[in-house]
Amino acid sequence: MRITTRRATFAALLTSTALIASPALAQDAAAEDEADSTEIVVTAQKRSESLQNVPISIQAIGTQKLEQLNISNFSGYAQQLPSVSFQGTGTPGVNVIYMRGVASGGDGNHSGSLPSVGVYLDEQPVTTIGGNLDVYVYDIARIESLSGPQGTLYGASSQAGTIRIITNKPDPSKVEGGADFEVNSVAHGKIGGKLEFFANAPINNKMAIRVVGYYKRDAGYIDNVPGCRAFLPETNPLGCPPATNGGIRMNNAAFVEADYNEAETIGGRAALGIELDDNWTITPAVMYQSTSSRGSFAYDPSVGDLEVQHFFPEYRKDHFTQAALTIEGKIGNWDITYAGAYLDRKTASSSDYTDYAEAYDSLYSSYGGLAGYFYFTDSLGNTINPSQKVIGSDHFKKASQELRIASPSDARIRLVAGLFWQRQTNDIHQDYQVANLGPLVSVNGLPGTLWLTEQYRVDKDYAAFGELSFDLTDQLTFTAGGRYFKYDNTLVGFFGFGRNPNGNYSATPYNAAGSSRTGVAGCFTTTGSRLRPVAGTPGVTLAPPVVAGSPCTNLGVWNGSGVDPVRAKDDGFTWRANLNYKPNSDLLLYATASKGFRPGGINRRADVAPYAPDFLYNYELGWKATLAPGFRINGAIYQQDWKKFQFSFLGANSFTEIHNGPDARIRGIDLSMAYNRGPLSLQVDAAYTDAKMTKNLCAIDDPTYACTGPGNSISSPAGTRLPITPKFKAAATMRYTAEVGATTKAYGQVNASYQSSAPSEVRAGPAAIIGELPEFATVNLAFGMEWEKFNLELFASNVFDERGQVSRFLQCGQCGQRPYVVPIMPRTIGVRLGVDF
């Protein structure tokens, strides 16, 4: 009933768009003389152009629309971009972004595949591995969403598309500033709010500085409720202390709290604009942002709505600083642009991993559970509580430089060409801790650590690119572009369990898991041999670790005297061809063929082969039509062929593996309609995506995709839908503004969005366990008043308190007993006050 109501609301909004727009097209001449406020200038093709003149599928959300929709973060603008989907745990800054159905799920591991969607802040790439950089949205000129491969101009992480966040620049011609205040109340939760301000100040007629500051507090709405876990030989897995059968029981009394998933974001930007002369400008900029969150942003349906039972501290701290320099000028009548940036991002987290112990205690129940099969004991040999928490950190650094030239935009033949270099590194730390775990069964040198990941990753990219456009006639233009790329990616370090050092590493138990292969057993000794085959040899000594904080190195290649990183490197060429026809100023037709790529990489386990690059071939027909002043309809029909797509999953012992799967075929339609004249504005954006595998996905890699042979089987048959992306997604906004005085306006706004159901996983078995992402629709309302220097607004988001699900996941590969659901924010009601200076 709730979904039916939301569908009806969304359908009514779409219908009203058509009905209201039709008669409104016949406005009087005076209205037609008004400026067309739908005009948006974008730089998607490295030139400033009207959105309606760019022959690619692009959606742009401008400053005014961002403010009207109260968008401040990624989830806010992703809701308004139908071609965009994402997957994550709900925690801020850990989403993996997908576009146009190019999604295999399971991504986001710090040692996993590079992203398939590039994210840019102005001219600089800020794409990161293991979760998007959630740049706070305030004083933003526009957000551009470029669908389809953008690899010729934007590089390796733009295989499926690119998202660009363009900031407002310093302006020496005026003094301006503003501030916005908000307080809100979240259903089932607490009070939140935000404070934002910006200021632009000329220093002289050639220099200006622009600063932005913000603070936001997101109210919690998920409860950590009382609960217990018990391990064999206890017979009730949810039993509370005291133990009755000699086993271990635990409760979470120390961590019970209502509305415990809170987040705080604080940060700012500063940019200095310097006009050296009429042709050259320099813009140095710096941004800092810190987000601190705690609790779980996903709930456990088996416990209750918006409820979990967790037993350890949960928090995440995400801090980043970016320094950027953009130099723009002319040599003759050619434009020259240099863009350089350095990004430093640090994260630290603690998460509950009790589900792992719960699952494996059940999995090994025939052996007496964890107590009977494993060796979770203290230094005296006593059985201990086997539950875990994970202490993690990442230190991500990215440096990038791009130099490009562009010929005059009014010439018949036009060229954009450049060089690009990027180097990104990540110090990876994941410490799976069991309280009181004895030193002989822990990771060597780290008592209490069951498993350790301590690695250093480097990804380097080099490219030369160019696009040449030729006006065949005044109405017909052909564009061809290419990008030659090289990548060189390395990974080195340690992962796994410890190894009992007694008896020259031959004593048992080897570690708490009893594993004789994974971890220190695979480390290099000073002779170059792995430890396992020489364990027990008198005097055997582990080689010094390459990565500080680890006991030794098992991920690398012996070079005769030490360990080098495992390397994946290659080069190649991507291309794009476009033919566009513009018979008049109001209509653009285009056809595009393009190729996107994503580099291959390394699996940490030696028995899992490296994964190869995957490629995306895009074929697209599109149009951009202005049917009347202020009324436009843009669209594209496309097919994409995704070759041997990369996909990740939790394999043996919940260890992330990345493989190349079969081919997939994606067919879809992008549609955008906008009407903006007089007091009424309407916007509807929609996407239909039909993404399916064209060959079988095998349990064991099989180049024939027949999935035959010993132990092999079909994980998902040909024709299975790719996960995460709904078949249909749409967003619509209607806003009416009325003048109620010489300097006073009143307005009302309705925003609705809908997305259909989607699979949660690419493999049929796990997808059935995790569960499908069901369809949902939401409605947002806003009513307000605008004066010359002030505005006041009352708003309600998710008016019907819909429990929309944007992601589902398991904590470990065997943790099917507890699928988690990441919901959208519950109904939020608030007040906003804006002041202009």
Side-chain angles (χ1 to χ4, degrees):
M1 183 63 179
R2 295 177 69 189
I3 286 291
T4 302
T5 303
R6 311 308 180 270
R7 278 177 170 171
T9 303
F10 190 83
L13 187 54
L14 292 179
T15 303
S16 65
T17 300
L19 293 177
I20 295 173
S22 298
L25 298 183
Q27 296 193 42
D28 57 40
E32 291 182 358
D33 289 336
E34 296 176 6
D36 180 2
S37 60
T38 63
E39 180 74 9
I40 297 178
V41 175
V42 298
T43 52
Q45 297 190 119
K46 307 289 188 178
R47 297 177 184 270
S48 295
E49 303 169 281
S50 168
L51 174 71
Q52 293 301 98
N53 293 331
V54 180
I56 61 175
S57 181
I58 175 174
Q59 184 181 351
I61 309 176
T63 301
Q64 186 179 43
K65 184 67 69 175
L66 290 168
E67 292 176 354
Q68 291 174 354
L69 295 175
N70 196 15
I71 291 173
S72 62
N73 56 17
F74 166 75
S75 61
Y77 63 78
Q79 186 182 39
Q80 306 302 319
L81 300 174
S83 63
V84 174
S85 55
F86 61 94
Q87 181 184 39
T89 62
T91 304
V94 296
N95 294 308
V96 179
I97 308 172
Y98 305 109
M99 293 183 75
R100 276 191 172 177
V102 182
S104 57
D107 301 304
N109 185 276
H110 41 222
S111 301
S113 302
L114 286 165
S116 64
V117 174
V119 180
Y120 278 67
L121 179 60
D122 291 322
E123 294 285 346
Q124 292 79 20
V126 292
T127 315
T128 58
I129 302 165
N132 68 309
L133 199 70
D134 201 346
V135 176
Y136 193 86
V137 178
Y138 184 70
D139 193 39
I140 297 297
R142 65 189 177 276
I143 293 175
E144 299 177 4
S145 175
L146 288 59
S147 298
Q150 306 296 325
T152 52
L153 294 181
Y154 291 99
S157 288
S158 293
Q159 178 193 43
T162 301
I163 294 174
R164 305 181 69 226
I165 303 170
I166 311 299
T167 62
N168 287 315
K169 302 302 187 291
D171 185 351
S173 69
K174 60 182 177 181
V175 176
E176 64 174 340
D180 290 275
F181 312 86
E182 177 184 313
V183 61
N184 58 62
S185 176
V186 178
H188 321 286
K190 295 181 179 178
I191 303 297
K194 59 185 178 182
L195 168 63
E196 308 159 324
F197 75 89
F198 80 94
N200 181 89
I203 298 173
N204 54 43
N205 64 348
K206 294 290 186 180
M207 297 175 62
I209 187 170
R210 194 176 191 98
V211 296
V212 175
Y214 48 87
Y215 169 80
K216 182 182 181 183
R217 180 181 180 85
D218 293 315
Y221 48 87
I222 289 179
D223 301 335
N224 192 14
V225 300
C228 300
R229 298 292 182 269
F231 304 97
L232 292 169
E234 297 303 313
T235 55
N236 178 9
L238 304 180
C240 289
T244 58
N245 295 313
I248 301 292
R249 291 189 178 187
M250 61 185 295
N251 65 46
N252 65 348
F255 303 101
V256 169
E257 183 180 354
D259 312 320
Y260 85 131
N261 62 318
E262 298 176 325
E264 288 187 331
T265 300
I266 187 170
R269 301 193 311 269
L272 177 66
I274 306 172
E275 297 178 0
L276 299 178
D277 56 29
D278 292 340
N279 292 325
W280 287 88
T281 63
I282 299 176
T283 309
V286 63
M287 179 177 183
Y288 171 80
Q289 182 171 305
S290 172
T291 300
S292 297
S293 60
R294 65 188 189 92
S296 171
F297 288 76
Y299 69 93
D300 180 353
S302 69
V303 175
D305 181 38
L306 301 179
E307 293 181 342
V308 296
Q309 290 177 343
H310 284 178
F311 298 79
F312 289 99
E314 296 172 281
Y315 63 81
R316 189 173 191 271
K317 299 178 181 180
D318 186 347
H319 314 282
F320 72 84
T321 302
Q322 190 214 31
L325 176 65
T326 303
I327 302 173
E328 298 172 291
K330 286 183 177 292
I331 297 180
N333 59 356
W334 285 62
D335 294 325
I336 308 295
T337 302
Y338 166 80
Y342 178 76
L343 172 67
D344 190 301
R345 181 186 191 186
K346 297 179 180 178
T347 68
S349 63
S350 174
S351 54
D352 182 280
Y353 205 49
T354 304
D355 290 4
Y356 180 93
E358 180 186 17
Y360 276 80
D361 196 57
S362 174
L363 185 65
Y364 289 96
S365 59
S366 61
Y367 298 93
L370 292 174
Y373 193 83
F374 294 97
Y375 306 93
F376 286 91
T377 57
D378 61 18
S379 58
L380 300 177
N382 300 311
T383 298
I384 60 173
N385 184 341
S387 57
Q388 304 170 42
K389 66 177 179 180
V390 184
I391 303 297
S393 66
D394 287 271
H395 189 180
F396 183 90
K397 300 177 183 178
K398 178 195 286 277
S400 65
Q401 298 189 73
E402 179 174 307
L403 178 65
R404 68 175 184 271
I405 59 173
S407 63
S409 59
D410 57 355
R412 185 179 182 185
I413 299 177
R414 300 174 297 281
L415 174 69
V416 176
L419 301 172
F420 176 79
W421 170 87
Q422 176 178 272
R423 184 178 189 270
Q424 47 191 343
T425 66
N426 194 6
D427 287 296
I428 304 164
H429 171 76
Q430 293 283 307
D431 187 345
Y432 293 72
Q433 297 182 357
V434 177
N436 301 315
L437 190 65
L440 296 182
V441 290
S442 299
V443 171
N444 301 56
L446 296 169
T449 294
L450 172 67
W451 174 287
L452 179 71
T453 298
E454 201 76 54
Q455 297 170 353
Y456 183 64
R457 174 173 180 164
V458 180
D459 295 89
K460 293 185 286 186
D461 299 277
Y462 314 83
F465 62 88
E467 280 198 350
L468 183 68
S469 297
F470 177 52
D471 293 335
L472 301 174
T473 69
D474 291 342
Q475 299 174 329
L476 188 64
T477 300
F478 177 71
T479 299
R483 187 181 189 99
Y484 172 74
F485 65 86
K486 295 182 67 175
Y487 67 85
D488 185 356
N489 303 337
T490 61
L491 187 64
V492 67
F494 174 83
F495 65 94
F497 303 108
R499 179 81 174 208
N500 190 331
N502 292 338
N504 293 300
Y505 301 99
S506 65
T508 57
Y510 297 123
N511 44 60
S515 173
S516 64
R517 296 177 177 273
T518 304
V520 173
C523 282
F524 289 100
T525 65
T526 52
T527 65
S529 170
R530 302 276 185 174
L531 175 63
R532 186 170 182 266
V534 297
T537 303
V540 63
T541 304
L542 295 171
V546 174
V547 179
S550 57
C552 49
T553 302
N554 59 3
L555 178 59
V557 179
W558 184 257
N559 63 19
S561 60
V563 183
D564 289 332
V566 179
R567 172 172 269 107
K569 58 187 300 185
D570 201 353
D571 58 47
F573 184 78
T574 61
W575 47 264
R576 174 177 175 266
N578 175 275
L579 184 67
N580 69 83
Y581 175 61
K582 194 171 180 63
N584 55 61
S585 61
D586 294 329
L587 179 63
L588 173 68
L589 305 174
Y590 67 89
T592 298
S594 55
K595 176 185 177 183
F597 85 101
R598 180 168 50 168
I602 303 131
N603 274 293
R604 292 177 289 174
R605 285 180 51 171
D607 59 341
V608 180
Y611 54 95
D614 59 2
F615 295 90
L616 185 71
Y617 296 86
N618 176 66
Y619 311 97
E620 180 174 334
L621 297 173
W623 69 91
K624 298 191 174 182
T626 302
L627 303 182
F631 181 52
R632 60 173 171 81
I633 298 179
N634 299 341
I637 301 172
Y638 64 88
Q639 175 168 313
Q640 298 183 133
D641 297 323
W642 194 9
K643 302 295 185 180
K644 297 183 178 179
F645 63 79
Q646 298 171 12
F647 74 101
S648 304
F649 63 91
L650 296 175
N653 297 317
S654 295
F655 197 85
T656 300
E657 300 180 15
I658 306 103
H659 293 251
N660 287 94
D663 298 343
R665 185 226 66 212
I666 306 166
R667 291 174 178 162
I669 301 172
D670 297 333
L671 184 65
S672 177
M673 182 177 73
Y675 174 78
N676 196 331
R677 297 292 286 175
L680 179 67
S681 65
L682 302 166
Q683 176 86 31
V684 178
D685 297 284
Y688 171 79
T689 309
D690 183 19
K692 297 179 180 179
M693 292 187 295
T694 57
K695 300 176 181 177
N696 296 329
L697 177 64
C698 302
I700 301 174
D701 293 344
D702 180 356
T704 70
Y705 304 106
C707 306
T708 57
N712 209 350
S713 62
I714 297 175
S715 290
S716 294
T720 299
R721 282 182 62 190
L722 294 180
I724 312 304
T725 304
K727 272 194 173 183
F728 182 73
K729 181 182 177 183
T733 303
M734 177 165 42
R735 184 182 179 95
Y736 188 87
T737 303
E739 293 187 2
V740 294
T743 59
T744 305
K745 297 179 180 179
Y747 64 85
Q749 177 177 280
V750 181
N751 172 258
S753 62
Y754 168 79
Q755 64 183 60
S756 60
S757 62
S760 58
E761 232 266 14
V762 70
R763 297 169 298 158
I769 295 172
I770 298 172
E772 185 179 64
L773 295 168
E775 65 173 347
F776 69 90
T778 61
V779 176
N780 309 315
L781 301 175
F783 303 93
M785 300 284 290
E786 294 178 348
W787 295 271
E788 187 174 359
K789 294 291 185 180
F790 300 91
N791 65 278
L792 181 66
E793 178 180 282
L794 173 66
F795 68 90
S797 302
N798 192 8
V799 173
F800 299 105
D801 198 24
E802 180 68 30
R803 198 68 71 241
Q805 300 182 16
V806 295
S807 189
R808 297 176 70 101
F809 65 92
L810 305 177
Q811 278 197 348
C812 72
Q814 300 295 331
C815 294
Q817 81 280 9
R818 294 187 184 278
Y820 286 87
V821 172
V822 179
I824 61 174
M825 182 77 78
R827 180 178 55 246
T828 303
I829 298 174
V831 178
R832 298 173 63 201
L833 172 66
V835 181
D836 293 328
F837 303 114

